[in-house]
Structures are given as structure tokens and as C-alpha cells.
Amino acid sequence: MDERQLRVLREVGELGSVTAAAEALLVTPSAISQQLRLLQRSMPVPLTERDGRRVVLTAAGRALAGAAADVESALARARQTVEEFVEQPDGVVTIAAFHSAAAAFFPRLLRSGAAPRLSLHDEDVPQDEFPPLTREYDVVLAHRLDHTAAWPRTVTVTPLLHEPMDVAVPVDHRLAAKRSLTPRDVAAEPWITVHDGFPLLATIEAIGAAADRRLEVVHRVNEFTVVAEMVAAGAGLALIPRWTARPHPGIVLKPLRGVQTRRHVDALHRPERTARRAVRTILSELQTAAGTISH
């Protein structure tokens, strides 16, 4: 049985006929009869009987119709509860972000004064592992490079940044005086890059291909704060995001010409999550924060 079938039974009992119930529910009499037949299949005793030319409820039918009123009331209360939850402006919103996005966006969200309560988490994973995180979190801040696959259709994407990745060099390095760099400028230098499976590694390979030589990767570190310290200490060059990484006095960032080095920073979420007012508010706050970060 379902709610619609119970409603039909109740209307037939109260109005006294299939025709009257059909008029009340704005359907055809045959549709009412079909719903009654479907309901009857799930019952061990007859729910209706003939009284002349009319269809009336049996004692069992009247008992079930009375219970149907309770069911409708309970469902109405349940719907109201869901509607109140969806419209709560201060409900908890769970957000996950990779490290540099967390450092850039989380403090701004916390200081924004937005009504939703936040539950913040760090999740630094390979690109294909970001979409599944939307099962666990309301919003997932994820990144991908221009040349990598687009996000799957299973998630909704709110674009935040299209961020350049610059070459980080020590302030006293011979390349620090250049306004921009080419793959040949940097190909002979030792490099610090990410672990296998992370999108940035493909850009390192593209730099080597453009310079016609394989880059020497000497260190594998995913956290840009640590990478900046290592570059400043002379451990090698690295690609560091222009806007979301914290400035470091010991390094300078130089644009790289000849290789596409931008990344997309996006908010991923499941479509149904935006039914909640609190989630919509956070997405708007993230877009506002992105505008501040990129200027």
C-alpha cells in the first residue's frame, strides 16, 4: 500500500461512492477503481463491497480508512519537519577541502559571519577521489588542471578559481630577476613536486617535454607550505599556486610561459544538497571569498 491508495480509500469511505471520490481528487472513476484494486491485492480481507450500484467500505475497509487519516497526519508532520530542516539558515554545513584551498577559504568562511554552522575537514586526495567525497560532505573543494578530465556528471560544480601555478624560486636564485620563465630556463634545476596520482605531476612532465629533457625530481611533498620552506632553503624549484598559497619572504613566484599551468578550484556537491538554504548560503560565501582571493 502507499499514501495515494490510502487517500483514495478514505475518500471513497467519506463520500460514499467512486464517482464522488474521483470528482474530489480530480481524477477519473477508473483511476479510483485501479487504486482500490492495487490496495486490495496487499490485504487479506475485502476492503469494499457492493451496495446496490454503489461501492462501499467493509468493516475492514472502514478500519483501514480510519488508520489512513493517522498516516496522512504523520506524513504531513514529516514533510513539515523536512521543510523546516531545509529552510534552516543556521544548519550545520560540512565542508572538505584540499590543503591550500582550506588555508585560503576556511578562515574567510569563519570570519564571514554567515549564519550556517560549519564543520570543516581537510581532504587532500587524487583528482578522481574528490567526487566520491560528496557522499560524505555537503561541499567539497577540489582542484584539477586544465588538461585533466572534467568532473563527472554525478556532481554539480560551482567554479571558484582558475588559478595560475607559478614557478617558485629562492629570492637569491639566478632566475629570481627574470619577469617570467620558460621550460628551458628551469629544465636543468632540481624539482620538488607532488606524489604520483596528483594532477600537478602531469604539468611537471609537460615542462620537461617542452624543454626536451626529463626534469630531475628530488623531493615529493604535497603540502605547499612545506614546499615553500624547502624552495627557500635551496632544495629545488616547485610549482606553487599564485593566489591560495601563503606568501613566503624567502621565495618569489614567476609565471611560466609555453606550458599551460592553470588549475580549476571548484566546489563540488550533490544536486540535492542545494535544497538546503544553509548550503546555498555557503556556496555564495565561497564565491564571494574567491573574488577576494583572486584580486
Side-chain angles (χ1 to χ4, degrees), residues 53-70:
R53 299 178 63 184
R54 299 170 59 241
V55 174
V56 298
L57 302 188
T58 64
R62 290 193 296 273
L64 184 57
D70 295 334

Side-chain angles (χ1 to χ4, degrees), residues 11-278:
E11 293 295 338
V12 170
E14 290 184 1
L15 298 176
S17 73
V18 168
T19 301
E23 292 176 354
L25 296 177
L26 303 178
V27 296
T28 64
S30 62
I32 295 294
S33 298
Q34 181 184 27
Q35 292 301 315
L36 289 176
R37 285 194 298 270
L38 291 172
L39 179 60
Q40 182 63 69
R41 289 176 187 173
S42 63
M43 294 292 116
V45 294
L47 300 176
T48 61
E49 60 185 3
R50 285 283 179 182
D51 181 11
R53 299 178 63 184
R54 299 170 59 241
V55 174
V56 298
L57 302 188
T58 64
R62 290 193 296 273
L64 184 57
D70 295 334
V71 169
E72 285 201 63
S73 297
L75 289 172
R77 289 193 299 272
R79 281 191 287 267
Q80 182 178 358
T81 299
V82 171
E83 289 170 1
E84 290 173 354
F85 169 75
V86 164
E87 288 303 316
Q88 280 181 351
D90 60 347
V92 176
V93 178
T94 57
I95 307 174
F98 61 96
H99 293 150
S100 57
F105 284 94
F106 284 0
R108 287 174 168 84
L109 289 177
L110 292 168
R111 292 194 297 262
S112 70
R117 290 170 288 158
L118 302 175
S119 178
L120 306 177
H121 307 261
D122 66 323
E123 292 279 3
D124 202 14
V125 298
Q127 178 178 332
D128 61 355
E129 294 183 23
F130 279 114
L133 290 175
T134 58
R135 296 189 186 99
E136 184 176 353
Y137 302 102
D138 293 316
V139 179
V140 175
L141 300 189
H143 61 107
R144 67 173 186 87
L145 295 174
D146 277 344
H147 56 76
T148 57
W151 302 115
R153 294 183 178 180
T154 54
V155 297
T156 300
V157 181
T158 299
L160 298 177
L161 299 171
H162 192 206
E163 181 176 29
M165 302 291 291
D166 294 331
V167 179
V169 302
V171 291
D172 56 357
H173 194 280
R174 63 180 179 82
L175 297 176
K178 285 180 167 284
R179 294 186 62 182
S180 62
L181 303 174
T182 67
R184 290 190 178 276
D185 290 331
V186 301
E189 300 292 328
W191 277 82
I192 307 164
T193 190
V194 295
H195 294 281
D196 289 340
F198 288 79
L200 194 57
L201 193 61
T203 302
I204 298 296
E205 294 170 351
I207 294 171
D212 198 24
R213 65 177 292 174
R214 186 179 182 86
L215 300 189
E216 180 190 8
V217 176
V218 292
H219 303 291
R220 300 287 190 124
V221 178
N222 277 23
E223 173 52 59
F224 287 123
T225 303
V226 178
V227 171
E229 293 290 348
M230 295 173 69
V231 172
L237 306 186
L239 289 176
I240 287 184
R242 183 180 299 177
W243 299 325
T244 55
R246 291 181 180 178
H248 191 291
I251 67 172
V252 291
L253 300 183
K254 298 294 177 179
L256 183 65
R257 292 183 285 112
V259 175
Q260 178 57 261
T261 60
R262 283 181 176 262
R263 70 173 181 178
H264 296 269
V265 178
D266 300 317
L268 309 183
H269 48 92
R270 298 209 161 195
E272 63 271 20
R273 301 277 185 159
T274 54
R276 293 180 56 205
R277 178 179 173 185

